Amino acid sequence: MSSDRLISHDVVLAEDLRDPAFRAEWERTAVARWLAVEVAHYRAQHKLSQRQLANRLGVHQSDVARMEIGEHNPSVERLIRVASGLGIELMIDIRPKGKQAKLPKKRALAAPSFAVADCEIVMATA
């Protein structure tokens, strides 16, 4: 198939998001998908296997695999373990949609934002 006939990810996602059930699941797993990308990116950047990363985090290899799938939202304890074990900063800002942020920020963020229920969630790592 020639590349001019391929459909982009954004087009496919936009179409899928028109389905209310898909949209609800997409929104529900926003934090899980964000953490999956961050963990997989860290692991690739540091050339670690899932088992090596699991040892750093003090979890089983299967826990890392589940995190990288991005289907289950992490607990606060899991986020703390990831931040501590990888030596990275995780930030999640949750506020009602359309409400201006009042809490202080360390820096301006160009971070991804997701709508979930009646809230906007902004997530970033450093």
Side-chain angles (χ1 to χ4, degrees), residues 23-24 26-28 30 33 95 97 112-123:
R23 178 178 286 279
W26 183 258
E27 290 176 355
R28 187 190 70 73
R33 286 182 285 103
R95 64 180 173 272
K97 283 182 189 174
S113 155
F114 302 91
V116 177
D118 287 330
C119 290
E120 178 181 12
I121 300 176
V122 179
M123 299 166 281

Side-chain angles (χ1 to χ4, degrees), residues 40-49 52-53 56 86 88:
H41 180 257
Y42 182 93
R43 192 167 67 78
Q45 199 172 37
H46 292 85
K47 297 178 174 46
L48 298 171
S49 68
Q52 290 168 319
L53 184 61
R56 282 193 186 185
L86 304 185
I88 61 174

Side-chain angles (χ1 to χ4, degrees), residues 12-13 15-27:
V12 172
L13 180 59
E15 185 177 312
D16 287 343
L17 287 172
R18 285 186 239 154
D19 174 15
F22 180 88
R23 178 178 286 279
E25 183 66 7
W26 183 258
E27 290 176 355

